[in-house]
Coordinates of all heavy atoms in Angstrom, one line a residue:
T1 N 1.5 15.1 29.6 CA 2.2 14.6 30.6 C 3.4 13.6 29.9 O 4.3 13.2 30.6 CB 1.6 13.7 31.6 OG1 0.7 12.8 31.0 CG2 0.9 14.6 32.6
T2 N 3.5 13.7 28.5 CA 4.4 12.9 28.0 C 5.7 13.6 27.7 O 5.6 14.9 27.5 CB 4.0 12.2 26.6 OG1 3.5 13.3 25.7 CG2 3.0 11.2 26.8
R3 N 6.8 13.0 27.7 CA 8.1 13.5 27.4 C 9.0 12.6 26.6 O 8.8 11.4 26.8 CB 8.8 14.0 28.6 CG 9.1 13.0 29.7 CD 9.9 13.5 30.8 NE 9.9 12.6 32.0 CZ 10.7 11.6 32.0 NH1 11.6 11.3 31.0 NH2 10.8 10.8 33.1
P4 N 9.9 13.0 25.8 CA 10.8 12.1 25.1 C 11.4 11.2 26.1 O 12.1 11.5 27.1 CB 11.7 12.9 24.3 CG 11.0 14.2 24.2 CD 10.3 14.4 25.4
T5 N 11.5 9.9 25.7 CA 12.4 8.8 26.4 C 13.3 8.1 25.5 O 13.5 8.7 24.4 CB 11.4 7.8 27.2 OG1 10.5 7.1 26.2 CG2 10.5 8.6 28.3
S6 N 13.7 6.9 25.8 CA 14.6 6.2 24.9 C 14.3 4.7 24.9 O 13.6 4.3 25.8 CB 16.0 6.5 25.3 OG 16.3 5.9 26.6
H7 N 14.8 4.0 23.9 CA 14.6 2.6 24.0 C 15.3 1.8 25.1 O 14.7 0.9 25.6 CB 15.2 2.0 22.6 CG 14.4 2.3 21.4 ND1 13.2 1.8 21.0 CD2 14.7 3.1 20.3 CE1 12.7 2.3 19.9 NE2 13.7 3.1 19.4
S8 N 16.3 2.4 25.6 CA 16.9 1.9 26.7 C 16.3 2.1 28.1 O 16.5 1.5 29.1 CB 18.4 2.1 26.8 OG 18.6 3.6 26.8
D9 N 15.6 3.3 28.2 CA 14.9 3.6 29.3 C 13.5 4.3 28.8 O 13.3 5.5 28.9 CB 15.7 4.8 30.1 CG 15.1 5.1 31.4 OD1 14.1 4.4 31.9 OD2 15.5 6.1 32.0
P10 N 12.6 3.4 28.5 CA 11.4 3.9 27.7 C 10.2 4.4 28.4 O 9.4 5.2 27.8 CB 11.0 2.7 26.9 CG 11.3 1.6 27.7 CD 12.6 2.0 28.4
T11 N 10.1 4.1 29.7 CA 8.9 4.4 30.5 C 9.1 5.3 31.7 O 10.3 5.2 32.3 CB 8.1 3.2 30.8 OG1 8.9 2.4 31.6 CG2 7.7 2.4 29.4
Y12 N 8.1 5.9 32.2 CA 8.0 6.5 33.5 C 6.6 6.6 33.9 O 5.6 6.3 33.1 CB 8.6 7.9 33.5 CG 8.0 8.9 32.5 CD1 6.9 9.7 32.9 CD2 8.4 8.9 31.2 CE1 6.3 10.6 32.1 CE2 7.7 9.7 30.3 CZ 6.7 10.6 30.7 OH 6.1 11.3 29.8
T13 N 6.2 6.8 35.2 CA 4.9 6.8 35.7 C 4.6 8.1 36.3 O 5.3 8.7 37.1 CB 4.8 5.6 36.7 OG1 5.1 4.4 36.2 CG2 3.4 5.6 37.3
I14 N 3.4 8.5 36.0 CA 2.7 9.7 36.6 C 1.2 9.4 36.9 O 0.6 8.8 36.1 CB 2.7 10.9 35.6 CG1 4.1 11.3 35.2 CG2 1.9 12.1 36.2 CD1 4.2 12.5 34.4
D15 N 0.8 9.6 38.2 CA -0.5 9.3 38.6 C -0.7 7.9 38.4 O -2.0 7.5 38.0 CB -1.6 10.2 38.0 CG -1.6 11.6 38.6 OD1 -0.9 11.8 39.5 OD2 -2.2 12.5 38.0
D16 N 0.2 6.9 38.5 CA 0.1 5.5 38.4 C -0.4 5.1 37.0 O -1.0 4.0 36.7 CB -1.0 4.9 39.4 CG -0.7 3.5 39.7 OD1 0.5 3.0 39.7 OD2 -1.7 2.8 40.2
V17 N -0.1 6.0 36.1 CA -0.2 5.6 34.6 C 1.1 5.6 33.9 O 1.9 6.6 34.0 CB -1.1 6.8 33.9 CG1 -1.1 6.5 32.5 CG2 -2.6 6.8 34.5
L18 N 1.4 4.4 33.3 CA 2.6 4.2 32.7 C 2.8 5.0 31.3 O 1.9 4.9 30.5 CB 2.9 2.8 32.4 CG 4.3 2.3 32.0 CD1 5.3 2.3 33.2 CD2 4.2 0.9 31.5
H19 N 3.9 5.8 31.2 CA 4.0 6.6 29.9 C 5.2 6.1 29.2 O 6.2 5.7 29.7 CB 4.3 8.1 30.3 CG 3.2 8.8 30.8 ND1 2.6 8.5 32.0 CD2 2.5 10.0 30.4 CE1 1.5 9.3 32.3 NE2 1.6 10.2 31.3
Y20 N 5.0 5.9 27.9 CA 6.0 5.4 26.9 C 6.3 6.6 25.9 O 5.3 6.8 25.2 CB 5.7 4.1 26.2 CG 6.5 3.5 25.2 CD1 7.5 2.7 25.6 CD2 6.6 3.9 23.9 CE1 8.4 2.0 24.6 CE2 7.5 3.5 23.0 CZ 8.3 2.5 23.3 OH 9.1 1.9 22.4
G21 N 7.4 7.2 25.8 CA 7.7 8.3 24.9 C 8.7 8.3 24.0 O 9.5 9.3 23.8
V22 N 9.1 7.1 23.5 CA 10.2 6.9 22.6 C 10.0 7.6 21.2 O 8.9 7.2 20.7 CB 10.5 5.4 22.4 CG1 11.6 5.2 21.5 CG2 10.8 4.7 23.8
P23 N 10.7 8.6 20.8 CA 10.4 9.3 19.7 C 10.8 8.7 18.3 O 10.2 8.9 17.2 CB 11.2 10.6 19.8 CG 12.2 10.4 20.8 CD 11.7 9.3 21.7
N24 N 11.7 7.7 18.5 CA 12.1 7.0 17.2 C 11.8 5.4 17.5 O 12.7 4.6 17.4 CB 13.8 7.2 17.0 CG 14.5 6.7 18.2 OD1 14.1 6.8 19.3 ND2 15.7 6.2 18.0
M25 N 10.5 5.3 17.7 CA 10.1 3.9 17.7 C 10.6 3.0 16.7 O 11.0 1.8 17.0 CB 8.6 3.9 18.0 CG 8.0 4.5 19.2 SD 6.2 4.5 19.2 CE 5.8 2.7 19.3
P26 N 10.6 3.3 15.4 CA 11.0 2.4 14.4 C 12.4 2.0 14.4 O 12.9 0.9 13.9 CB 10.6 3.2 13.0 CG 9.6 4.1 13.4 CD 9.9 4.5 14.8
G27 N 13.2 2.8 15.3 CA 14.5 2.3 15.5 C 14.7 1.0 16.2 O 15.8 0.4 16.2
A28 N 13.7 0.5 16.8 CA 13.8 -0.8 17.4 C 13.7 -1.9 16.5 O 14.1 -3.1 16.8 CB 12.7 -0.9 18.5
V29 N 13.3 -1.6 15.3 CA 13.2 -2.7 14.2 C 13.9 -2.2 13.0 O 13.5 -1.9 11.9 CB 11.8 -3.2 13.8 CG1 11.3 -4.0 14.9 CG2 10.9 -2.0 13.6
P30 N 15.3 -1.9 13.1 CA 16.1 -1.1 12.2 C 16.1 -1.6 10.9 O 16.2 -0.9 9.8 CB 17.4 -0.9 12.8 CG 17.6 -2.3 13.7 CD 16.2 -2.3 14.2
R31 N 16.2 -2.9 10.7 CA 16.3 -3.5 9.3 C 14.9 -3.3 8.5 O 15.0 -2.7 7.4 CB 16.6 -4.9 9.4 CG 17.0 -5.5 7.9 CD 17.5 -6.9 8.0 NE 17.8 -7.5 6.7 CZ 19.0 -7.3 6.1 NH1 20.0 -6.7 6.7 NH2 19.3 -7.8 4.9
T32 N 13.9 -3.6 9.1 CA 12.6 -3.4 8.5 C 12.4 -1.9 8.2 O 11.9 -1.4 7.1 CB 11.4 -3.8 9.4 OG1 11.5 -5.1 9.5 CG2 10.2 -3.5 8.7
S33 N 12.7 -1.1 9.2 CA 12.5 0.4 9.0 C 13.4 0.9 7.9 O 13.0 1.9 7.2 CB 12.7 1.1 10.4 OG 11.8 0.7 11.3
S34 N 14.7 0.6 8.0 CA 15.6 1.2 6.9 C 15.2 0.9 5.6 O 15.2 1.7 4.7 CB 17.0 0.7 7.3 OG 17.5 1.0 8.4
L35 N 14.8 -0.4 5.4 CA 14.3 -0.7 4.0 C 13.0 -0.1 3.6 O 12.9 0.4 2.5 CB 14.1 -2.3 3.9 CG 15.5 -3.1 4.1 CD1 15.2 -4.7 4.3 CD2 16.2 -3.0 2.7
A36 N 12.1 0.0 4.6 CA 10.9 0.7 4.2 C 11.1 2.2 3.9 O 10.5 2.8 3.0 CB 9.9 0.5 5.5
L37 N 12.0 2.7 4.8 CA 12.2 4.2 4.5 C 12.8 4.4 3.2 O 12.5 5.4 2.5 CB 13.1 4.7 5.6 CG 13.4 6.2 5.7 CD1 12.3 7.2 5.6 CD2 14.5 6.6 6.7
A38 N 13.9 3.7 2.9 CA 14.6 3.8 1.6 C 13.7 3.7 0.3 O 13.8 4.4 -0.7 CB 15.8 3.0 1.5
N39 N 12.7 2.7 0.4 CA 11.7 2.5 -0.5 C 11.0 3.8 -0.8 O 10.7 4.1 -2.0 CB 10.6 1.5 -0.1 CG 11.2 0.0 -0.1 OD1 12.3 -0.2 -0.8 ND2 10.6 -0.9 0.4
A40 N 10.8 4.5 0.2 CA 10.0 5.9 -0.1 C 10.9 7.0 -0.4 O 10.5 7.8 -1.2 CB 9.2 6.1 1.2
T41 N 12.0 7.1 0.2 CA 12.8 8.4 0.0 C 13.7 8.3 -1.3 O 14.2 9.3 -1.7 CB 13.8 8.4 1.2 OG1 14.7 7.3 1.4 CG2 13.1 8.7 2.4
L42 N 14.1 7.1 -1.8 CA 15.0 7.0 -2.8 C 14.6 7.8 -4.1 O 15.5 8.5 -4.6 CB 15.1 5.5 -3.2 CG 16.3 5.1 -4.2 CD1 17.7 5.7 -3.9 CD2 16.2 3.7 -4.6
P43 N 13.5 7.7 -4.5 CA 13.2 8.5 -5.8 C 13.4 10.1 -5.6 O 13.8 10.7 -6.4 CB 11.7 8.2 -6.1 CG 11.4 6.9 -5.4 CD 12.2 6.9 -4.2
Y44 N 13.0 10.5 -4.4 CA 13.3 12.0 -4.1 C 14.7 12.2 -3.9 O 15.2 13.3 -4.4 CB 12.5 12.3 -2.8 CG 10.9 12.2 -3.0 CD1 10.3 11.0 -2.6 CD2 10.2 13.2 -3.4 CE1 9.0 10.9 -2.7 CE2 8.8 13.2 -3.6 CZ 8.2 11.9 -3.2 OH 6.9 11.8 -3.4
A45 N 15.4 11.4 -3.3 CA 16.9 11.6 -3.1 C 17.6 11.6 -4.5 O 18.5 12.5 -4.7 CB 17.5 10.6 -2.2
L46 N 17.2 10.6 -5.2 CA 17.8 10.7 -6.7 C 17.4 11.9 -7.4 O 18.3 12.5 -8.2 CB 17.3 9.5 -7.4 CG 18.0 8.0 -7.0 CD1 17.3 6.9 -7.6 CD2 19.5 8.1 -7.4

């Protein structure tokens, strides 16, 4: 019953169960995420 949502509209309810389906969750903490991602991708990109 899950489907993609967004940070600005993250939830919906089915059978009185709240569903959260944001596919890019780390995008809510972009500075931490960008630094962590680059730490991993940089050697491969180079």
Side-chain angles (χ1 to χ4, degrees):
T1 49
T2 56
R3 57 175 171 79
T5 59
S6 65
H7 288 292
S8 55
D9 187 17
T11 62
Y12 59 92
T13 300
I14 297 177
D15 286 350
D16 209 22
V17 174
L18 191 72
H19 291 60
Y20 178 100
V22 177
N24 59 327
M25 289 177 67
V29 286
R31 189 172 181 88
T32 296
S33 297
S34 295
L35 291 168
L37 180 60
N39 287 343
T41 61
L42 182 60
Y44 295 92
L46 285 171

